[in-house]
Amino acid sequence: MSNDPSQHEPLFDSFGRRHTSLRLSVTDRCNIRCFYCMPAKEVRFLPRSEILSFEEIERFVRVTAAMGVSRVRITGGEPLVRSELPTLVGKLAAVSGVEEVALTTNGMLLDEHAAPLREAGLDRLNISLDTLDAAKFEQMTRRQGLDRVLAGIDAAQHAGFTRIRLNALAIRHQTEDEVVPMVEFAIERGLQMRFIEFMPLDADAQWTDDQVLTGERIREIIEQSLGRLEPLERSDPSQPAVDYRFVEGRGTVGFINPVSEPFCGACDRLRLTAEGQVRNCLFSTTEADARKLIRSGGTDEEIFQLVRECIAAKKPGHGIDNEAFLRPQRAMYQIGG
Ligand code: SAM
Ligand code: SF4
């Protein structure tokens, strides 16, 4: 099979959405325990033998790149707990057709890894941070470590990463007081602040819709203290964030509103879990087993077919607001956010 992206049919679903972006989980392990993602105790991680090797991941990326997947975002679990991650970044950056390799991290280990990741060819970084208050950080993540994340941000900027995004998960009655300090911090540091609505993907299954602090409410909080915001024109309709800029003054703020304003109609993403299951949606209840195929000697053509069928079965939307909505079996750390 040729790896020239032009050699294969692009990856369309039955609603005409073209898939060009891959979320790649490299581990389900994590060094913190955010309450909206992981259980507090008795987390059962996958055995090492079930996790795809770098070579297996690279092969999957090579095959999907041949179908037009050009952007790869590495995630987890916490991707930086996977050893030798820069080696994987280097491999993926070299795949023909891959134009961007990005990483989403909690930043706890970024101090040590930012420079090697940059050297390996990592293009973009998203750092997740929900608060600048050390006690609140500990409450939300069930671990200490705010100082380490801040050191990680410093290291990332030192290493030459630009356009770094700071992603905060917004929870009603917890995030309201964090909004203004976080936006001010981001502007001062030249980071792109984004707020994400809480989705029903927490391992403890405690999510209720009244815990969702909507992007609209956050915008009001920002405007009350920091001045009026105006929407920026979307340069890429598949981007989940709606970006705003301050009418007077510098800085932008983005809002990812999957619950209050679903953006499924423009979704261009497929996902590969750490143990090699292909998912067509965060919320899908079915998966396609790429690992089994890869480990049983499947051909590139067979992987191509497996991915194509998985994407063809994609639903029009996640249906969170639908009465018949079913939570997926997996929590966020087991899928890859
Ligand atoms: N550990 C890395 C991190 O936290 O950035 C990467 C994986 S984490 C699952 C990716 C993103 O998912 C984080 O920004 C996190 O805030 C978000 N996330 C986790 N649980 C979520 C939930 N229930 N609803 C919405 N976003 C969630
Ligand atoms: Fe770990 Fe990221 Fe989940 Fe927090 S959101 S527990 S950092 S995987």
Side-chain angles (χ1 to χ4, degrees), residues 36-37 75-79 104-106 128 167 169 196-199 201-202 332 337:
Y36 47 74
C37 177
T75 181
E78 172 46 40
T104 297
T105 172
N106 63 28
S128 305
N167 287 342
L169 191 75
I196 307 172
E197 289 176 351
F198 182 22
M199 293 183 272
L201 291 168
D202 52 319
M332 191 64 126

Side-chain angles (χ1 to χ4, degrees), residues 29-34 36-38 76-78 106 332-333:
R29 289 168 194 259
C30 189
N31 43 9
I32 57 179
R33 294 283 182 275
C34 304
Y36 47 74
C37 177
M38 277 203 163
E78 172 46 40
N106 63 28
M332 191 64 126
Y333 74 100

